[in-house]
mmCIF file of all heavy atoms in Angstrom:
data_model
loop_
_atom_site.group_PDB
_atom_site.id
_atom_site.type_symbol
_atom_site.label_atom_id
_atom_site.label_comp_id
_atom_site.label_asym_id
_atom_site.label_seq_id
_atom_site.Cartn_x
_atom_site.Cartn_y
_atom_site.Cartn_z
ATOM 1 N N TRP A 1466 0.828 -1.202 0.000
ATOM 2 C CA TRP A 1466 0.000 0.000 0.000
ATOM 3 C C TRP A 1466 0.871 1.263 0.000
ATOM 4 O O TRP A 1466 0.546 2.269 -0.652
ATOM 5 C CB TRP A 1466 -0.920 0.012 1.213
ATOM 6 C CG TRP A 1466 -2.057 -0.944 1.088
ATOM 7 C CD1 TRP A 1466 -2.086 -2.256 1.478
ATOM 8 C CD2 TRP A 1466 -3.334 -0.660 0.507
ATOM 9 N NE1 TRP A 1466 -3.297 -2.821 1.191
ATOM 10 C CE2 TRP A 1466 -4.092 -1.874 0.596
ATOM 11 C CE3 TRP A 1466 -3.924 0.461 -0.056
ATOM 12 C CZ2 TRP A 1466 -5.399 -1.957 0.122
ATOM 13 C CZ3 TRP A 1466 -5.224 0.374 -0.521
ATOM 14 C CH2 TRP A 1466 -5.947 -0.820 -0.439
ATOM 15 N N ALA A 1467 1.986 1.213 0.732
ATOM 16 C CA ALA A 1467 2.869 2.378 0.789
ATOM 17 C C ALA A 1467 3.503 2.653 -0.574
ATOM 18 O O ALA A 1467 3.524 3.799 -1.050
ATOM 19 C CB ALA A 1467 3.953 2.157 1.842
ATOM 20 N N PHE A 1468 4.012 1.595 -1.221
ATOM 21 C CA PHE A 1468 4.581 1.776 -2.557
ATOM 22 C C PHE A 1468 3.505 2.190 -3.557
ATOM 23 O O PHE A 1468 3.753 2.977 -4.477
ATOM 24 C CB PHE A 1468 5.275 0.499 -3.020
ATOM 25 C CG PHE A 1468 6.559 0.206 -2.297
ATOM 26 C CD1 PHE A 1468 6.742 -1.004 -1.659
ATOM 27 C CD2 PHE A 1468 7.571 1.143 -2.250
ATOM 28 C CE1 PHE A 1468 7.924 -1.294 -0.991
ATOM 29 C CE2 PHE A 1468 8.757 0.876 -1.579
ATOM 30 C CZ PHE A 1468 8.937 -0.344 -0.943
ATOM 31 N N GLY A 1469 2.307 1.666 -3.369
ATOM 32 C CA GLY A 1469 1.196 2.051 -4.232
ATOM 33 C C GLY A 1469 0.874 3.527 -4.099
ATOM 34 O O GLY A 1469 0.571 4.199 -5.092
ATOM 35 N N ALA A 1470 0.940 4.052 -2.862
ATOM 36 C CA ALA A 1470 0.699 5.485 -2.656
ATOM 37 C C ALA A 1470 1.746 6.322 -3.380
ATOM 38 O O ALA A 1470 1.426 7.368 -3.952
ATOM 39 C CB ALA A 1470 0.718 5.800 -1.156
ATOM 40 N N CYS A 1471 2.995 5.847 -3.375
ATOM 41 C CA CYS A 1471 4.052 6.557 -4.109
ATOM 42 C C CYS A 1471 3.756 6.544 -5.608
ATOM 43 O O CYS A 1471 3.948 7.544 -6.304
ATOM 44 C CB CYS A 1471 5.404 5.906 -3.837
ATOM 45 S SG CYS A 1471 5.970 6.046 -2.127
ATOM 46 N N GLY A 1472 3.278 5.387 -6.115
ATOM 47 C CA GLY A 1472 2.926 5.296 -7.529
ATOM 48 C C GLY A 1472 1.794 6.230 -7.895
ATOM 49 O O GLY A 1472 1.822 6.887 -8.943
ATOM 50 N N VAL A 1473 0.791 6.311 -7.025
ATOM 51 C CA VAL A 1473 -0.324 7.233 -7.266
ATOM 52 C C VAL A 1473 0.174 8.673 -7.248
ATOM 53 O O VAL A 1473 -0.259 9.514 -8.061
ATOM 54 C CB VAL A 1473 -1.426 7.023 -6.210
ATOM 55 C CG1 VAL A 1473 -2.483 8.119 -6.306
ATOM 56 C CG2 VAL A 1473 -2.067 5.651 -6.383
ATOM 57 N N GLY A 1474 1.116 8.980 -6.355
ATOM 58 C CA GLY A 1474 1.690 10.318 -6.304
ATOM 59 C C GLY A 1474 2.362 10.696 -7.616
ATOM 60 O O GLY A 1474 2.209 11.821 -8.109
ATOM 61 N N MET A 1475 3.077 9.740 -8.221
ATOM 62 C CA MET A 1475 3.725 10.027 -9.501
ATOM 63 C C MET A 1475 2.700 10.179 -10.618
ATOM 64 O O MET A 1475 2.896 10.983 -11.535
ATOM 65 C CB MET A 1475 4.709 8.915 -9.855
ATOM 66 C CG MET A 1475 6.063 9.038 -9.188
ATOM 67 S SD MET A 1475 6.815 10.684 -9.245
ATOM 68 C CE MET A 1475 6.732 11.084 -10.977
ATOM 69 N N LEU A 1476 1.625 9.433 -10.559
ATOM 70 C CA LEU A 1476 0.572 9.607 -11.562
ATOM 71 C C LEU A 1476 -0.077 10.985 -11.442
ATOM 72 O O LEU A 1476 -0.390 11.627 -12.457
ATOM 73 C CB LEU A 1476 -0.483 8.508 -11.413
ATOM 74 C CG LEU A 1476 -0.046 7.087 -11.796
ATOM 75 C CD1 LEU A 1476 -1.172 6.097 -11.532
ATOM 76 C CD2 LEU A 1476 0.378 7.032 -13.271
ATOM 77 N N ILE A 1477 -0.271 11.453 -10.215
ATOM 78 C CA ILE A 1477 -0.809 12.803 -10.011
ATOM 79 C C ILE A 1477 0.175 13.838 -10.549
ATOM 80 O O ILE A 1477 -0.215 14.845 -11.157
ATOM 81 C CB ILE A 1477 -1.105 13.058 -8.523
ATOM 82 C CG1 ILE A 1477 -2.204 12.106 -8.033
ATOM 83 C CG2 ILE A 1477 -1.518 14.512 -8.291
ATOM 84 C CD1 ILE A 1477 -2.475 12.209 -6.543
ATOM 85 N N SER A 1478 1.484 13.588 -10.333
ATOM 86 C CA SER A 1478 2.504 14.484 -10.858
ATOM 87 C C SER A 1478 2.423 14.571 -12.376
ATOM 88 O O SER A 1478 2.444 15.659 -12.960
ATOM 89 C CB SER A 1478 3.891 13.995 -10.430
ATOM 90 O OG SER A 1478 4.913 14.820 -10.954
ATOM 91 N N ALA A 1479 2.295 13.406 -13.036
ATOM 92 C CA ALA A 1479 2.204 13.371 -14.504
ATOM 93 C C ALA A 1479 0.935 14.069 -14.986
ATOM 94 O O ALA A 1479 0.950 14.799 -15.982
ATOM 95 C CB ALA A 1479 2.246 11.926 -14.994
ATOM 96 N N LEU A 1480 -0.172 13.852 -14.271
ATOM 97 C CA LEU A 1480 -1.439 14.475 -14.657
ATOM 98 C C LEU A 1480 -1.370 15.984 -14.489
ATOM 99 O O LEU A 1480 -1.859 16.740 -15.339
ATOM 100 C CB LEU A 1480 -2.572 13.895 -13.809
ATOM 101 C CG LEU A 1480 -3.978 14.428 -14.100
ATOM 102 C CD1 LEU A 1480 -4.377 14.103 -15.542
ATOM 103 C CD2 LEU A 1480 -4.989 13.832 -13.117
ATOM 104 N N SER A 1481 -0.752 16.450 -13.404
ATOM 105 C CA SER A 1481 -0.611 17.892 -13.173
ATOM 106 C C SER A 1481 0.187 18.533 -14.301
ATOM 107 O O SER A 1481 -0.153 19.628 -14.779
ATOM 108 C CB SER A 1481 0.097 18.149 -11.835
ATOM 109 O OG SER A 1481 -0.638 17.602 -10.758
ATOM 110 N N PHE A 1482 1.226 17.827 -14.744
ATOM 111 C CA PHE A 1482 2.050 18.367 -15.829
ATOM 112 C C PHE A 1482 1.267 18.395 -17.141
ATOM 113 O O PHE A 1482 1.339 19.365 -17.899
ATOM 114 C CB PHE A 1482 3.303 17.511 -15.997
ATOM 115 C CG PHE A 1482 4.256 18.039 -17.035
ATOM 116 C CD1 PHE A 1482 5.104 19.083 -16.736
ATOM 117 C CD2 PHE A 1482 4.294 17.482 -18.294
ATOM 118 C CE1 PHE A 1482 5.983 19.587 -17.685
ATOM 119 C CE2 PHE A 1482 5.165 17.966 -19.256
ATOM 120 C CZ PHE A 1482 6.011 19.024 -18.948
ATOM 121 N N ALA A 1483 0.494 17.333 -17.403
ATOM 122 C CA ALA A 1483 -0.278 17.273 -18.651
ATOM 123 C C ALA A 1483 -1.320 18.394 -18.711
ATOM 124 O O ALA A 1483 -1.525 19.014 -19.759
ATOM 125 C CB ALA A 1483 -0.951 15.913 -18.779
ATOM 126 N N ILE A 1484 -1.968 18.672 -17.582
ATOM 127 C CA ILE A 1484 -2.998 19.708 -17.546
ATOM 128 C C ILE A 1484 -2.389 21.101 -17.677
ATOM 129 O O ILE A 1484 -2.942 21.976 -18.355
ATOM 130 C CB ILE A 1484 -3.817 19.597 -16.245
ATOM 131 C CG1 ILE A 1484 -4.616 18.285 -16.235
ATOM 132 C CG2 ILE A 1484 -4.757 20.792 -16.096
ATOM 133 C CD1 ILE A 1484 -5.340 18.017 -14.931
ATOM 134 N N GLY A 1485 -1.253 21.321 -17.045
ATOM 135 C CA GLY A 1485 -0.686 22.667 -17.003
ATOM 136 C C GLY A 1485 0.419 22.948 -17.989
ATOM 137 O O GLY A 1485 0.996 24.038 -17.973
ATOM 138 N N ARG A 1486 0.718 22.015 -18.902
ATOM 139 C CA ARG A 1486 1.860 22.201 -19.789
ATOM 140 C C ARG A 1486 1.707 23.397 -20.731
ATOM 141 O O ARG A 1486 2.690 23.938 -21.224
ATOM 142 C CB ARG A 1486 2.108 20.922 -20.604
ATOM 143 C CG ARG A 1486 0.978 20.507 -21.497
ATOM 144 C CD ARG A 1486 1.316 19.218 -22.221
ATOM 145 N NE ARG A 1486 2.442 19.388 -23.123
ATOM 146 C CZ ARG A 1486 3.075 18.387 -23.716
ATOM 147 N NH1 ARG A 1486 2.699 17.145 -23.480
ATOM 148 N NH2 ARG A 1486 4.070 18.625 -24.548
ATOM 149 N N LYS A 1487 0.474 23.833 -20.949
ATOM 150 C CA LYS A 1487 0.263 24.986 -21.836
ATOM 151 C C LYS A 1487 0.858 26.266 -21.247
ATOM 152 O O LYS A 1487 1.071 27.243 -21.972
ATOM 153 C CB LYS A 1487 -1.219 25.173 -22.116
ATOM 154 C CG LYS A 1487 -2.047 25.488 -20.869
ATOM 155 C CD LYS A 1487 -3.529 25.588 -21.223
ATOM 156 C CE LYS A 1487 -4.376 25.855 -19.971
ATOM 157 N NZ LYS A 1487 -5.818 25.930 -20.289
ATOM 158 N N TYR A 1488 1.088 26.274 -19.935
ATOM 159 C CA TYR A 1488 1.665 27.452 -19.292
ATOM 160 C C TYR A 1488 3.194 27.405 -19.252
ATOM 161 O O TYR A 1488 3.825 28.316 -18.708
ATOM 162 C CB TYR A 1488 1.150 27.582 -17.855
ATOM 163 C CG TYR A 1488 -0.333 27.833 -17.772
ATOM 164 C CD1 TYR A 1488 -1.200 26.849 -17.301
ATOM 165 C CD2 TYR A 1488 -0.870 29.055 -18.164
ATOM 166 C CE1 TYR A 1488 -2.571 27.074 -17.225
ATOM 167 C CE2 TYR A 1488 -2.239 29.291 -18.088
ATOM 168 C CZ TYR A 1488 -3.073 28.292 -17.617
ATOM 169 O OH TYR A 1488 -4.427 28.527 -17.546
ATOM 170 N N LEU A 1489 3.787 26.345 -19.803
ATOM 171 C CA LEU A 1489 5.232 26.155 -19.719
ATOM 172 C C LEU A 1489 5.904 26.509 -21.038
ATOM 173 O O LEU A 1489 5.305 26.367 -22.102
ATOM 174 C CB LEU A 1489 5.551 24.707 -19.338
ATOM 175 C CG LEU A 1489 4.962 24.245 -17.998
ATOM 176 C CD1 LEU A 1489 5.251 22.772 -17.769
ATOM 177 C CD2 LEU A 1489 5.534 25.073 -16.849
ATOM 178 N N PRO A 1490 7.158 26.956 -20.979
ATOM 179 C CA PRO A 1490 7.867 27.320 -22.220
ATOM 180 C C PRO A 1490 8.122 26.093 -23.083
ATOM 181 O O PRO A 1490 8.397 25.004 -22.577
ATOM 182 C CB PRO A 1490 9.181 27.915 -21.710
ATOM 183 C CG PRO A 1490 9.372 27.330 -20.355
ATOM 184 C CD PRO A 1490 7.990 27.159 -19.781
ATOM 185 N N GLN A 1491 8.013 26.288 -24.388
ATOM 186 C CA GLN A 1491 8.235 25.185 -25.314
ATOM 187 C C GLN A 1491 9.712 24.977 -25.609
ATOM 188 O O GLN A 1491 10.126 23.894 -25.990
ATOM 189 C CB GLN A 1491 7.487 25.443 -26.629
ATOM 190 C CG GLN A 1491 5.980 25.471 -26.460
ATOM 191 C CD GLN A 1491 5.266 25.588 -27.792
ATOM 192 O OE1 GLN A 1491 5.855 25.360 -28.830
ATOM 193 N NE2 GLN A 1491 4.011 25.938 -27.746
ATOM 194 N N GLY A 1492 10.516 26.017 -25.467
ATOM 195 C CA GLY A 1492 11.928 25.870 -25.789
ATOM 196 C C GLY A 1492 12.742 26.973 -25.173
ATOM 197 O O GLY A 1492 12.289 27.692 -24.279
ATOM 198 N N GLN A 1493 13.970 27.130 -25.658
ATOM 199 C CA GLN A 1493 14.921 28.091 -25.133
ATOM 200 C C GLN A 1493 14.450 29.517 -25.373
ATOM 201 O O GLN A 1493 13.908 29.841 -26.421
ATOM 202 C CB GLN A 1493 16.251 27.878 -25.836
ATOM 203 C CG GLN A 1493 17.403 28.598 -25.191
ATOM 204 C CD GLN A 1493 17.973 27.797 -24.050
ATOM 205 O OE1 GLN A 1493 17.284 27.533 -23.084
ATOM 206 N NE2 GLN A 1493 19.213 27.410 -24.160
ATOM 207 N N ARG A 1494 14.655 30.378 -24.367
ATOM 208 C CA ARG A 1494 14.345 31.786 -24.552
ATOM 209 C C ARG A 1494 15.358 32.428 -25.492
ATOM 210 O O ARG A 1494 16.531 32.083 -25.512
ATOM 211 C CB ARG A 1494 14.390 32.520 -23.197
ATOM 212 C CG ARG A 1494 13.129 32.319 -22.365
ATOM 213 C CD ARG A 1494 13.197 33.215 -21.140
ATOM 214 N NE ARG A 1494 11.973 33.098 -20.367
ATOM 215 C CZ ARG A 1494 10.889 33.800 -20.594
ATOM 216 N NH1 ARG A 1494 10.864 34.653 -21.581
ATOM 217 N NH2 ARG A 1494 9.820 33.644 -19.845
ATOM 218 N N ARG A 1495 14.896 33.395 -26.258
ATOM 219 C CA ARG A 1495 15.784 34.074 -27.191
ATOM 220 C C ARG A 1495 16.954 34.737 -26.454
ATOM 221 O O ARG A 1495 18.092 34.683 -26.886
ATOM 222 C CB ARG A 1495 14.996 35.141 -27.959
ATOM 223 C CG ARG A 1495 15.853 35.901 -28.966
ATOM 224 C CD ARG A 1495 15.027 36.951 -29.678
ATOM 225 N NE ARG A 1495 14.492 37.931 -28.736
ATOM 226 C CZ ARG A 1495 15.198 38.969 -28.295
ATOM 227 N NH1 ARG A 1495 16.453 39.119 -28.675
ATOM 228 N NH2 ARG A 1495 14.654 39.830 -27.464
ATOM 229 N N GLU A 1496 16.682 35.354 -25.285
ATOM 230 C CA GLU A 1496 17.743 36.056 -24.582
ATOM 231 C C GLU A 1496 18.829 35.094 -24.131
ATOM 232 O O GLU A 1496 20.010 35.395 -24.160
ATOM 233 C CB GLU A 1496 17.169 36.789 -23.352
ATOM 234 C CG GLU A 1496 16.274 37.962 -23.687
ATOM 235 C CD GLU A 1496 14.872 37.533 -24.070
ATOM 236 O OE1 GLU A 1496 14.600 36.311 -24.050
ATOM 237 O OE2 GLU A 1496 14.058 38.394 -24.409
ATOM 238 N N GLN A 1497 18.424 33.895 -23.678
ATOM 239 C CA GLN A 1497 19.415 32.926 -23.245
ATOM 240 C C GLN A 1497 20.200 32.392 -24.432
ATOM 241 O O GLN A 1497 21.389 32.122 -24.336
ATOM 242 C CB GLN A 1497 18.739 31.779 -22.494
ATOM 243 C CG GLN A 1497 18.219 32.228 -21.130
ATOM 244 C CD GLN A 1497 17.512 31.114 -20.416
ATOM 245 O OE1 GLN A 1497 16.707 30.420 -21.006
ATOM 246 N NE2 GLN A 1497 17.792 30.950 -19.152
ATOM 247 N N SER A 1498 19.546 32.249 -25.570
ATOM 248 C CA SER A 1498 20.240 31.790 -26.761
ATOM 249 C C SER A 1498 21.291 32.806 -27.181
ATOM 250 O O SER A 1498 22.403 32.453 -27.549
ATOM 251 C CB SER A 1498 19.238 31.577 -27.905
ATOM 252 O OG SER A 1498 18.283 30.605 -27.552
ATOM 253 N N VAL A 1499 20.934 34.102 -27.148
ATOM 254 C CA VAL A 1499 21.877 35.143 -27.536
ATOM 255 C C VAL A 1499 23.089 35.128 -26.620
ATOM 256 O O VAL A 1499 24.231 35.213 -27.059
ATOM 257 C CB VAL A 1499 21.191 36.527 -27.489
ATOM 258 C CG1 VAL A 1499 22.216 37.640 -27.647
ATOM 259 C CG2 VAL A 1499 20.127 36.618 -28.576
ATOM 260 N N GLU A 1500 22.829 34.997 -25.300
ATOM 261 C CA GLU A 1500 23.949 34.973 -24.365
ATOM 262 C C GLU A 1500 24.834 33.772 -24.614
ATOM 263 O O GLU A 1500 26.063 33.870 -24.602
ATOM 264 C CB GLU A 1500 23.433 34.946 -22.930
ATOM 265 C CG GLU A 1500 24.567 34.941 -21.905
ATOM 266 C CD GLU A 1500 24.062 34.649 -20.516
ATOM 267 O OE1 GLU A 1500 23.040 33.999 -20.385
ATOM 268 O OE2 GLU A 1500 24.752 35.059 -19.564
ATOM 269 N N ALA A 1501 24.226 32.619 -24.870
ATOM 270 C CA ALA A 1501 25.002 31.414 -25.086
ATOM 271 C C ALA A 1501 25.870 31.544 -26.323
ATOM 272 O O ALA A 1501 27.033 31.135 -26.336
ATOM 273 C CB ALA A 1501 24.065 30.215 -25.222
ATOM 274 N N VAL A 1502 25.317 32.128 -27.399
ATOM 275 C CA VAL A 1502 26.092 32.316 -28.621
ATOM 276 C C VAL A 1502 27.261 33.258 -28.362
ATOM 277 O O VAL A 1502 28.376 33.050 -28.832
ATOM 278 C CB VAL A 1502 25.193 32.863 -29.753
ATOM 279 C CG1 VAL A 1502 26.032 33.254 -30.960
ATOM 280 C CG2 VAL A 1502 24.165 31.820 -30.152
ATOM 281 N N HIS A 1503 26.996 34.315 -27.581
ATOM 282 C CA HIS A 1503 28.048 35.281 -27.268
ATOM 283 C C HIS A 1503 29.183 34.609 -26.499
ATOM 284 O O HIS A 1503 30.363 34.796 -26.803
ATOM 285 C CB HIS A 1503 27.468 36.432 -26.447
ATOM 286 C CG HIS A 1503 28.512 37.352 -25.886
ATOM 287 N ND1 HIS A 1503 29.243 38.219 -26.667
ATOM 288 C CD2 HIS A 1503 28.963 37.502 -24.611
ATOM 289 C CE1 HIS A 1503 30.089 38.892 -25.897
ATOM 290 N NE2 HIS A 1503 29.939 38.475 -24.660
ATOM 291 N N ILE A 1504 28.809 33.803 -25.495
ATOM 292 C CA ILE A 1504 29.826 33.142 -24.684
ATOM 293 C C ILE A 1504 30.628 32.155 -25.521
ATOM 294 O O ILE A 1504 31.848 32.122 -25.483
ATOM 295 C CB ILE A 1504 29.172 32.429 -23.485
ATOM 296 C CG1 ILE A 1504 28.649 33.475 -22.499
ATOM 297 C CG2 ILE A 1504 30.153 31.514 -22.786
ATOM 298 C CD1 ILE A 1504 27.879 32.883 -21.355
ATOM 299 N N SER A 1505 29.909 31.323 -26.288
ATOM 300 C CA SER A 1505 30.599 30.304 -27.049
ATOM 301 C C SER A 1505 31.448 30.915 -28.156
ATOM 302 O O SER A 1505 32.381 30.300 -28.638
ATOM 303 C CB SER A 1505 29.586 29.327 -27.651
ATOM 304 O OG SER A 1505 28.718 30.001 -28.540
ATOM 305 N N GLY A 1506 31.159 32.156 -28.575
ATOM 306 C CA GLY A 1506 31.929 32.793 -29.629
ATOM 307 C C GLY A 1506 33.171 33.507 -29.108
ATOM 308 O O GLY A 1506 33.979 33.986 -29.893
ATOM 309 N N ASP A 1507 33.332 33.615 -27.806
ATOM 310 C CA ASP A 1507 34.472 34.303 -27.210
ATOM 311 C C ASP A 1507 35.195 33.319 -26.303
ATOM 312 O O ASP A 1507 34.723 33.029 -25.208
ATOM 313 C CB ASP A 1507 33.978 35.509 -26.411
ATOM 314 C CG ASP A 1507 35.122 36.285 -25.781
ATOM 315 O OD1 ASP A 1507 36.272 35.816 -25.864
ATOM 316 O OD2 ASP A 1507 34.859 37.351 -25.210
ATOM 317 N N PRO A 1508 36.355 32.796 -26.723
ATOM 318 C CA PRO A 1508 37.052 31.773 -25.921
ATOM 319 C C PRO A 1508 37.357 32.242 -24.509
ATOM 320 O O PRO A 1508 37.226 31.470 -23.557
ATOM 321 C CB PRO A 1508 38.331 31.522 -26.726
ATOM 322 C CG PRO A 1508 37.977 31.885 -28.128
ATOM 323 C CD PRO A 1508 37.023 33.044 -28.017
ATOM 324 N N SER A 1509 37.768 33.510 -24.342
ATOM 325 C CA SER A 1509 38.083 33.990 -22.998
ATOM 326 C C SER A 1509 36.843 34.054 -22.127
ATOM 327 O O SER A 1509 36.881 33.749 -20.928
ATOM 328 C CB SER A 1509 38.740 35.369 -23.074
ATOM 329 O OG SER A 1509 37.846 36.325 -23.625
#
């Protein structure tokens, strides 16, 4: 029963993510991409 409760908890976690995923970013932010390109383009 205890392990089953943990399994149910993970199912609730998955369901919460499925319901609310529309509020989450789909990919990298443009500002972070620009910074990453800047850093990777300057060895120092």
Side-chain angles (χ1 to χ4, degrees):
W1466 286 90
F1468 289 125
C1471 294
V1473 171
M1475 278 314 308
L1476 291 177
I1477 296 175
S1478 178
L1480 181 62
S1481 300
F1482 184 79
I1484 294 174
R1486 61 182 296 169
K1487 63 183 178 181
Y1488 295 109
L1489 301 176
Q1491 295 186 16
Q1493 192 84 298
R1494 280 187 177 274
R1495 180 181 61 83
E1496 291 80 1
Q1497 289 178 314
S1498 299
V1499 170
E1500 181 191 27
V1502 172
H1503 170 71
I1504 290 175
S1505 62
D1507 181 354
S1509 63

